[in-house]
């Protein structure tokens, strides 16, 4: 039987295809190798500094620049729906995973990412009718798992933290979780609509606010992030523009 040789050849062909695919992607984005050029190293202690990064799956992405630290480690993004908050979360997580699998990232050469021992995300809604799991319960279960496994070399991404329950209680839970992550020096990016959370972030030197504002005249997304400035949801303005 030649099954072993066939399996071995297919496995090797897949590995070679992956290597060439990575190389073709690097050429397509004109990537530079930070180690070869002697400007960067890959380690747990690199700064998270992404300049002009783009989500590789979007057709016409608006370049995004995000920096965390070194004196602080939690970034909380506020702003309206469709403004770019969740895309920012997914972009950072995807680029971190790409780098750690040997794929060059679509970013300015001066960008840097640390090596993470784990990338933990709570993005989306995992409610289940069959298992009687509500939206809020699914988020709490996911947050439990994240907090039990993440460490000071981890990346934590939390979308709409504190949502899907009573706003005041949700904001209190979210604030406690973010304060814990800040105290443990765990690199965290979270999004929220709660102004109370943003106000608490403003008072904590280990955390920074950021926002994705809308164009004040058209109320259309600008997809431009403003670090250090809490945002607003524009709910009343958007509802008015849509005729409610």
């Amino acid at each position: 039987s030649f099954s072993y040789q066939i399996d071995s050849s297919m496995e090797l062909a897949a590995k070679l295809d992956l290597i060439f695919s990575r190389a073709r992607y690097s050429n397509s984005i004109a990537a530079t190798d930070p180690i070869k050029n002697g400007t960067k190293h890959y380690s747990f202690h690199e700064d998270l500094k992404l300049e002009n990064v783009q989500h590789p799956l979007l057709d016409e992405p608006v370049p995004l620049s995000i920096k965390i630290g070194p004196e602080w480690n939690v970034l909380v993004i506020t702003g309206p729906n469709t403004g770019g908050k969740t895309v920012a979360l997914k972009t950072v997580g995807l680029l971190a995973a790409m780098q750690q699998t040997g794929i060059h990232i679509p970013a300015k050469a001066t960008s840097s990412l640390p090596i993470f021992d784990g990338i933990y995300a709570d993005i989306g809604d995992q409610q289940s009718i069959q298992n009687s799991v509500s939206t809020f319960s699914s988020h709490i279960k996911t947050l439990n798992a994240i907090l039990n496994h993440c460490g000071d070399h981890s990346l934590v991404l939390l979308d709409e933290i504190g949502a899907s329950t009573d706003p005041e209680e949700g904001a209190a839970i979210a604030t406690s979780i973010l304060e814990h992550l800040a105290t443990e020096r765990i690199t965290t990016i979270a999004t929220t609509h709660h102004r109370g959370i943003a106000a608490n972030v403003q008072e904590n030197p280990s955390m920074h606010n950021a926002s994705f504002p809308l164009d004040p005249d058209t109320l259309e997304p600008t997809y431009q992030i403003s670090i250090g400035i809490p945002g607003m949801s524009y709910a009343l303005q958007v509802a008015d523009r849509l005729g409610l």
Side-chain angles (χ1 to χ4, degrees):
S1 172
F2 293 98
S3 60
Y4 172 77
Q5 290 92 329
I6 294 172
D7 286 343
S8 178
S9 297
M10 290 177 63
E11 183 178 344
L12 182 58
K15 289 181 178 179
L16 288 171
D17 186 47
L18 177 59
I19 292 170
F20 284 115
S21 295
R22 288 198 298 240
R24 285 193 296 270
Y25 179 72
S26 295
N27 285 333
S28 72
I29 62 172
T32 58
D33 190 323
I35 290 182
K36 184 178 179 182
N37 296 342
T39 57
K40 287 285 185 297
H41 298 88
Y42 296 129
S43 74
F44 286 123
H45 306 291
E46 283 287 305
D47 293 332
L48 192 158
K49 184 177 68 173
L50 295 173
E51 298 183 352
N52 291 345
V53 299
Q54 300 179 6
H55 194 296
L57 299 181
L58 296 180
D59 291 333
E60 296 181 358
V62 175
L64 173 73
S65 294
I66 287 184
K67 181 179 184 296
I68 295 181
E71 294 83 14
W72 54 280
N73 59 288
V74 174
L75 181 67
V76 177
I77 307 173
T78 49
N81 293 321
T82 73
K85 303 190 305 296
T86 302
V87 171
L89 280 187
K90 292 181 176 181
T91 300
V92 174
L94 179 57
L95 297 193
M98 287 172 63
Q99 176 178 275
Q100 292 185 208
T101 51
I103 303 174
H104 287 132
I105 61 174
K108 197 173 177 181
T110 52
S111 298
S112 62
L113 274 172
I115 297 296
F116 296 108
D117 60 10
I119 301 173
Y120 302 94
D122 180 21
I123 301 174
D125 181 4
Q126 289 83 39
Q127 75 169 340
S128 170
I129 296 175
Q130 290 83 2
N131 296 326
S132 300
V133 177
S134 70
T135 298
F136 179 68
S137 297
S138 71
H139 284 302
I140 293 301
K141 288 182 177 180
T142 302
L143 288 169
N144 261 331
I146 290 173
L147 295 175
N148 286 333
H149 290 90
C150 67
D152 58 359
H153 292 312
S154 301
L155 173 64
V156 174
L157 306 170
L158 305 174
D159 193 28
E160 300 294 358
I161 186 170
S164 306
T165 189
D166 175 86
E168 291 187 6
E169 293 183 349
I173 292 172
T175 297
S176 296
I177 290 171
L178 293 174
E179 287 180 348
H180 169 75
L181 292 167
T183 300
E184 296 296 319
R185 306 295 299 169
I186 298 169
T187 301
T188 303
I189 304 176
T191 72
T192 182
H193 284 288
H194 291 298
R195 294 188 183 183
I197 297 174
N200 184 76
V201 169
Q202 203 78 5
E203 303 299 320
N204 191 322
S206 295
M207 299 189 278
H208 270 47
N209 279 305
S211 59
F212 279 92
L214 296 181
D215 184 290
D217 297 322
T218 65
L219 295 182
E220 294 295 327
T222 64
Y223 303 115
Q224 299 291 337
I225 191 169
S226 299
I227 304 293
I229 303 173
M232 55 185 293
S233 295
Y234 298 91
L236 297 178
Q237 294 91 328
V238 171
D240 180 62
R241 181 171 64 89
L242 296 177
L244 181 64

